[in-house]
Amino acid sequence: MSKNPLRTILDKLEPIAAKNKFAHTLHDGISTFLFQPNLVTQSGTHIKDGMDLKRTMVHVVLAMQLCLIHGMVNIGHQHYAAMGMYPGLTEGLIPKIVYGLLQLLPIIVVAHVVGLGIEFAFAAKKGHAIEEGFLVTGMLIPLIVPPDIPLWMLAVATAFAVIIGKEAFGGTGMNVLNVALTARVFLFFAYPTEISGDKVWVSYDYNFLHQGASALFGDFLHIKDNLALVDGFSGATPLALAAEGGWGAVTEQYSISEMFWGFIPGSVGEMNKPAILLGAGMLIASGIGSWRIMLSMFIGAASMGLLMNGLALNPFMEVPVHYHFIMGSFFFAMAFMATDPVTATGTNTGKWIYGFLIGVIGMIIRVLNPAYPEGWMLAILLLNVFAPLIDNYVIQANISRRLSRAA
């Protein structure tokens, strides 16, 4: 059987790369990314499963692709809506896609270059192979930030999350906090004006890639038209409107269909509910995402929402609970954040408790905290800290119950 030419090149370079630890780490990272490692565990193996870390990461990344594609289109749609052009979803589809792609591409590149660069440095320093854990984090971070996020802020947040949230605890599989959410919470507290308010969720400007595309292929992006923001345009999200005037204020600006399909201002990849639910189904089917956490988080949020509907102390508390699930990023947090196998609980009973509390606390923060109507980030990070304690109590309870039976 003829050998893959790329494999042949990598094999020839291996002896050369082995002479330098940085070159060896780089060579190993590229080889394991392109080809399955031809290694066998030498000792101590007691768990056998075809789903290794690389396959796990790839499954999660694939589950997010529809969210990424929709986010790209929605960036363009919101941009031209702000400029008073192409109000229909299918109008100006090509400029919308190209604008969104060129706006999103630098965000993805910066997140990956910074994160993988730090991973590479730590791997070379410690003398181990590059771990695949950042493949998921590097894709999650672009999906949970505003489309106009300054790239230097994104780089700082990514570096903080990887170093403090991950490498300080020992690297992949050892982190206590979800790394992508650590990046977002860093942005929220360090640069609050860039990740909150009405103006940050719609991309208004043209970057160097837009300028370059316009120069090469004609001004189909309308850069030279000097379009201004149309009068009366608001980039307010449904959650911001609900906090101000309840469900009535939301429906004055957005339809239920727009919120369900995600053609509203918001984070890049958190808006389209069908795309997220398909991704959640893929994670459940592959055994990576816990359905117990997803279902219990839904039950927790719905229970607290119903309680708030009963109290109805302000317009936001009067919003019918089922509409809460289409307004913001609940489903994205449920599918891709709460189910992180590293930072979530490991016991089945613990997963029910963990998910339920995230739902309850997230809904409380969303409705009662006027500074941050989207509370899932803070709720998940809080429960990340308590996940080991929850598992410990569940295990101790099981031990006590079995001992009482044996007595």
Side-chain angles (χ1 to χ4, degrees):
M1 182 182 294
S2 61
K3 200 171 184 179
N4 186 300
L6 192 54
R7 178 75 265 176
T8 303
I9 295 173
L10 289 170
D11 289 343
K12 288 182 179 178
L13 291 175
E14 186 174 6
I16 302 173
K19 298 177 181 177
N20 180 281
K21 63 180 182 180
F22 288 98
H24 175 70
T25 301
L26 180 60
H27 178 274
D28 183 73
I30 295 173
S31 298
T32 55
F33 181 78
L34 296 175
F35 301 99
Q36 183 176 359
N38 187 25
L39 299 175
V40 178
T41 303
Q42 298 298 316
S43 63
T45 176
H46 61 286
I47 299 175
K48 299 182 185 299
D49 195 325
M51 184 68 84
D52 60 8
L53 179 61
K54 183 182 293 183
R55 289 187 177 85
T56 300
M57 298 297 107
V58 169
H59 274 73
V60 180
V61 171
L62 289 176
M64 292 187 285
Q65 291 311 299
L66 286 178
C67 299
L68 184 70
I69 294 171
H70 173 268
M72 180 180 65
V73 177
N74 190 44
I75 289 172
H77 178 69
Q78 297 301 325
H79 167 78
Y80 287 107
M83 301 302 171
M85 297 183 65
Y86 307 136
L89 291 179
T90 58
E91 295 179 61
L93 194 55
I94 299 300
K96 289 177 181 177
I97 293 174
V98 173
Y99 180 90
L101 173 63
L102 298 181
Q103 186 68 24
L104 187 55
L105 193 59
I107 297 175
I108 296 174
V109 171
V110 168
H112 280 81
V113 168
V114 173
L116 287 175
I118 294 172
E119 292 256 348
F120 169 77
F122 272 89
K125 182 70 177 177
K126 295 179 179 178
H128 62 68
I130 296 177
E131 296 161 334
E132 294 87 351
F134 193 78
L135 290 177
V136 172
T137 304
M139 190 56 68
L140 277 173
I141 290 176
L143 294 178
I144 60 175
V145 297
D148 255 359
I149 186 76
L151 296 179
W152 70 268
M153 287 185 189
L154 181 72
V156 172
T158 303
F160 177 86
V162 175
I163 295 173
I164 304 299
K166 184 177 178 183
E167 296 299 340
F169 290 94
T172 299
M174 303 298 290
N175 50 296
V176 176
L177 302 176
N178 182 292
V179 180
L181 283 182
T182 303
R184 177 157 166 166
V185 81
F186 177 86
L187 287 170
F188 177 70
F189 287 113
Y191 311 105
T193 58
E194 298 294 335
I195 200 166
S196 60
D198 295 347
K199 300 299 182 183
V200 305
W201 305 110
V202 177
S203 175
Y204 298 106
D205 300 321
Y206 295 99
N207 62 29
F208 66 100
L209 292 178
H210 298 126
Q211 302 284 353
S214 181
L216 289 173
F217 304 108
D219 194 30
F220 67 101
L221 292 176
H222 305 283
I223 290 176
K224 297 177 182 176
D225 291 346
N226 294 320
L227 297 172
L229 194 67
V230 296
D231 293 336
F233 177 82
S234 170
T237 64
L239 290 173
L241 294 169
E244 294 176 358
W247 184 242
V250 177
T251 52
E252 284 181 6
Q253 188 157 336
Y254 302 113
S255 68
I256 291 176
S257 175
E258 287 175 323
M259 287 183 276
F260 180 74
W261 291 103
F263 289 101
I264 55 176
S267 298
V268 172
E270 299 179 343
M271 297 295 104
N272 189 290
K273 279 64 184 181
I276 296 169
L277 292 176
L278 283 172
M282 181 176 173
L283 294 181
I284 293 173
S286 60
I288 298 172
S290 168
W291 64 269
R292 293 179 178 85
I293 292 176
M294 296 185 197
L295 180 58
S296 59
M297 183 174 165
F298 180 84
I299 294 172
S303 301
M304 182 50 64
L306 287 172
L307 178 61
M308 289 181 172
N309 285 169
L311 294 174
L313 300 178
N314 61 45
F316 204 171
M317 294 176 73
E318 296 175 358
V319 174
V321 63
H322 51 282
Y323 291 136
H324 274 282
F325 299 113
I326 62 171
M327 287 197 295
S329 62
F330 172 83
F331 284 123
F332 190 90
M334 178 197 75
F336 296 109
M337 296 299 185
T339 57
D340 178 2
V342 175
T343 56
T345 46
T347 59
N348 286 342
T349 304
K351 289 174 182 176
W352 285 104
I353 299 170
Y354 174 83
F356 183 82
L357 290 178
I358 290 175
V360 169
I361 296 173
M363 186 63 79
I364 292 173
I365 297 173
R366 167 184 277 196
V367 176
L368 300 183
N369 183 356
Y372 194 67
E374 191 63 283
W376 312 116
M377 171 188 72
L378 299 177
I380 292 172
L381 288 176
L382 178 64
L383 265 297
N384 282 170
V385 176
F386 285 97
L389 185 63
I390 294 172
D391 276 338
N392 180 61
Y393 276 115
V394 170
I395 293 171
Q396 291 302 322
N398 286 338
I399 292 173
S400 299
R401 187 166 53 251
R402 293 188 178 190
L403 287 175
S404 64
R405 289 175 185 169

